[in-house]
């Protein structure tokens, strides 16, 4: 199971630089190979779709600080459909993933550049909580600067 996911994640992460046709062809070949040659092939169904989607999103945004809740919900509509896309050789969903991810990274870069020269105040009491289970993809675009300031401040203090 983990090998299937690893192959799929490695393939899809390298797919960002490919066309949808190449992507579908590669995913189709991987699926065919796994279904024919794996000693215990995993059925391509909604459970696999959910598993792949959740792990893929975890890999793209491990610390839950890139995607906003709105962006996550936009991509989440594909959560139960990945199996259908694979079976139908339809990789058009990747265009949306790439677009949303690219915009999120650009936004993150802009936020980090904006706060780069802001001094941090270490004299006041502060708290911070980072937990994927308690805070799954709950960022709101207007809070990104605040969240990133706290995250950077925490990282600096942790390094010290």
């Amino acid at each position: 199971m983990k090998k299937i996911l690893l192959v799929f994640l490695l393939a899809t992460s390298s797919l960002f630089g490919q066309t949808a046709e190449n992507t579908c062809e590669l995913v189709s070949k991987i699926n065919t190979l796994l279904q024919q040659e794996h000693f215990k092939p995993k059925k391509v169904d909604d459970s696999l779709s959910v598993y792949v989607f959740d792990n893929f999103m975890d890999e793209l945004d491990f610390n839950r600080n890139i995607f906003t809740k709105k962006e996550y919900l936009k991509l989440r509509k594909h959560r139960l459909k990945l199996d259908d896309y694979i079976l139908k050789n339809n990789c058009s969903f990747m265009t949306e993933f790439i677009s949303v991810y690219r915009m999120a990274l650009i936004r993150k870069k802009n936020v980090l550049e904006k706060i780069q020269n802001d001094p941090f105040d270490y004299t006041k009491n502060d708290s911070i909580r980072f937990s994927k289970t308690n805070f799954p993809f709950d960022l709101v675009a207007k809070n990104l600067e605040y969240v990133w300031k706290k995250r950077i401040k925490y990282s600096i203090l942790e390094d010290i």
Side-chain angles (χ1 to χ4, degrees), residues 15-98:
L15 300 175
F16 286 121
Q18 299 182 13
T19 64
E21 298 83 34
N22 292 345
T23 301
C24 277
E25 185 178 330
L26 182 59
V27 170
S28 177
K29 286 179 181 180
I30 291 171
N31 182 43
T32 302
L33 180 68
L34 289 172
Q35 295 303 319
Q36 292 174 355
E37 303 296 330
H38 198 277
F39 73 96
K40 190 176 178 185
K42 175 88 170 122
K43 188 176 178 185
V44 180
D45 59 8
D46 285 348
S47 67
L48 178 68
S49 187
V50 167
Y51 181 78
V52 168
F53 177 85
D54 290 346
N55 282 286
F56 188 61
M57 292 303 288
D58 275 345
E59 291 297 319
L60 287 178
D61 193 1
F62 180 76
N63 290 319
R64 306 291 194 261
N65 57 25
I66 295 174
F67 291 119
T68 62
K69 184 174 187 173
K70 185 177 179 180
E71 291 165 338
Y72 174 75
L73 292 175
K74 182 178 181 181
L75 296 176
R76 195 173 196 278
K77 70 182 178 193
H78 299 290
R79 189 170 188 245
L80 292 172
K81 298 177 183 176
L82 293 178
D83 59 315
D84 300 326
Y85 298 149
I86 291 169
L87 294 173
K88 293 177 184 175
N89 287 341
N90 177 3
C91 295
S92 60
F93 71 96
M94 288 300 290
T95 304
E96 187 172 8
F97 272 83
I98 293 166

Side-chain angles (χ1 to χ4, degrees), residues 91-115:
C91 295
S92 60
F93 71 96
M94 288 300 290
T95 304
E96 187 172 8
F97 272 83
I98 293 166
S99 173
V100 171
Y101 190 57
R102 186 173 286 139
M103 293 304 295
L105 289 176
I106 291 169
R107 182 188 56 241
K108 178 181 173 180
K109 179 182 178 252
N110 291 337
V111 168
L112 291 174
E113 286 174 349
K114 182 178 178 184
I115 64 174

